[in-house]
Amino acid sequence: MRESMLDAAYQVILESGEAKSFNDMLELIAKRLNLESEEVSAKASQLYTSLLRDGRFVTLGENVWDLRKNHKFDAVHIDMNDIYHYDEDSDEEEKDKDKESEDDEEEDEEEDEDEEEDLYDELMNDEVSMDKDDAVDGFTIKESLENE
């Protein structure tokens, strides 16, 4: 039975006694299993995924891999609580930003409504003079006033 690429990776690191970059490991695996470069390239992503999932291996960063048994637990263990730490302060800051944004939008809407009301009042009190051909929203001013 043919040795798997994952088992070959284990043996390559075990026999060398040192961590290997992923690319170096691929070359050594190809030699060990007599694989063509096309076949190695086609299976590289599968091997990478297998390395991530297999508890015998650990990544040391920068795409360098070693055997977990060569490292103390504390040196290679990643506490997921550190990665996904819930920060209450940043959550409160987000809520404050959202509230400020909503307040700004409401103020803008109120200003727009006030401007529209002022313009309407000016038009109704003939404080603005316009020719009959001046159009607003497809109607002339006189037509609009006559229809009310």
Side-chain angles (χ1 to χ4, degrees), residues 9-140:
Y10 183 86
Q11 290 301 319
V12 162
I13 295 173
L14 182 67
E15 291 169 6
S16 72
E18 61 183 13
K20 296 284 183 200
S21 73
F22 185 73
N23 289 332
D24 290 345
M25 195 176 356
L26 277 178
E27 288 179 26
L28 294 169
I29 291 169
K31 288 178 186 174
R32 183 180 182 94
L33 300 178
N34 297 320
L35 300 174
E36 298 293 325
S37 61
E38 295 83 21
E39 188 177 0
V40 172
S41 295
K43 294 182 178 182
S45 62
Q46 181 181 359
L47 175 62
Y48 191 89
T49 302
S50 296
L51 289 171
L52 287 170
R53 298 185 75 195
D54 192 309
R56 298 178 293 173
F57 298 93
V58 64
T59 180
L60 303 177
E62 301 297 322
N63 211 15
V64 175
W65 294 85
D66 201 359
L67 300 179
R68 185 173 299 275
K69 70 180 189 170
N70 295 338
H71 299 271
K72 293 182 180 178
F73 177 79
D74 291 338
V76 295
H77 174 71
I78 299 172
D79 186 354
M80 298 311 282
N81 290 323
D82 292 340
I83 294 173
Y84 297 108
H85 176 71
Y86 178 72
D87 187 358
E88 291 179 13
D89 293 336
S90 68
D91 192 37
E92 288 298 320
E93 289 173 11
E94 287 294 320
K95 287 180 183 177
D96 290 344
K97 286 180 185 177
D98 290 344
K99 178 68 174 151
E100 288 174 14
S101 177
E102 288 175 11
D103 290 346
D104 290 344
E105 288 176 13
E106 288 176 8
E107 287 176 13
D108 290 344
E109 289 175 9
E110 289 173 6
E111 288 175 8
D112 290 345
E113 289 174 3
D114 290 343
E115 288 176 14
E116 290 174 8
E117 288 175 8
D118 291 344
L119 180 59
Y120 178 78
D121 290 342
E122 288 175 14
L123 287 173
M124 294 308 291
N125 294 325
D126 290 324
E127 293 176 15
V128 175
S129 61
M130 300 183 113
D131 295 333
K132 71 176 190 174
D133 295 329
D134 290 337
V136 177
D137 292 331
F139 294 98
T140 61

